[in-house]
Amino acid sequence: MVQTPVGARCPQCAKLYRLPTYRVSTGYYLRALGTALGMAVVCGAIWGVVGGFLPFFYLNLLIGPGVGYAIGEVVSLSVNRKRGRGLAAVAGIGVAVSYLVSILTPWGFPVGLLHILLDLAALALGIFVAVTRLR
C-alpha cells in the first residue's frame, strides 16, 4: 500500500507523479543555462561599474542580493516558472559568474581583507537569494 493525500491505495491505483512544476526537461535546463549566463554577464558588468563609481564599503551587500534576485527571477521566467534543485544550482552558478565578471573590470578587484570578506558575504547573499527563488 502507498499513502496518498486521500488515504492508502495500491501502487498501481495511486500513480504518484511529480508535480508538473518540478518536472524539468533537458530543454528547460539548456534554456535556464543560457539565460543565467547572459544575465550573469550583464549584471556583472553593471555590478562592476556601480561598484567602481560608488566605492562604498557596504554597497556590495545590497548589490549582491539584487543581482541574485534578478538572475533568479529571469531564469524562473525563462523556464515558465518551473522549480527544482538543478535550476537553483544554475541560478547560483550564474550569480558566481556575475561576481567574477564584476571583479574583472579594471577597478573591480577587491583590495584588502575587509573588502574581500564583504565581497564574499555579498556573493553568498546573492547565491542564497537566487537559489531560494527557484527552490
Side-chain angles (χ1 to χ4, degrees):
M1 299 303 270
V2 175
Q3 285 295 331
T4 65
V6 295
R9 300 182 127 196
C10 71
Q12 292 174 347
C13 294
K15 293 183 183 175
L16 295 174
Y17 296 111
R18 292 183 75 178
L19 291 173
T21 305
Y22 293 97
R23 281 189 241 151
V24 183
S25 66
T26 306
Y28 282 118
Y29 280 118
L30 291 174
R31 192 183 312 171
L33 187 63
T35 304
L37 288 178
M39 282 296 293
V41 170
V42 171
C43 289
I46 292 171
W47 190 350
V49 169
V50 169
F53 286 122
L54 298 173
F56 297 116
F57 270 54
Y58 302 105
L59 185 63
N60 274 347
L61 294 176
L62 296 175
I63 295 175
V67 166
Y69 181 82
I71 290 175
E73 187 66 24
V74 172
V75 168
S76 176
L77 286 172
S78 74
V79 295
N80 200 21
R81 298 287 185 188
K82 298 243 184 224
R83 295 181 177 273
R85 290 182 181 157
L87 293 175
V90 167
I93 290 169
V95 174
V97 170
S98 178
Y99 175 72
L100 291 176
V101 168
S102 75
I103 65 170
L104 291 178
T105 57
W107 51 83
F109 195 77
V111 178
L113 182 62
L114 182 62
H115 285 287
I116 292 172
L117 291 176
L118 287 175
D119 282 1
L120 290 177
L123 177 63
L125 286 171
I127 290 173
F128 174 76
V129 170
V131 166
T132 55
R133 297 289 311 146
L134 291 164
R135 196 168 40 156

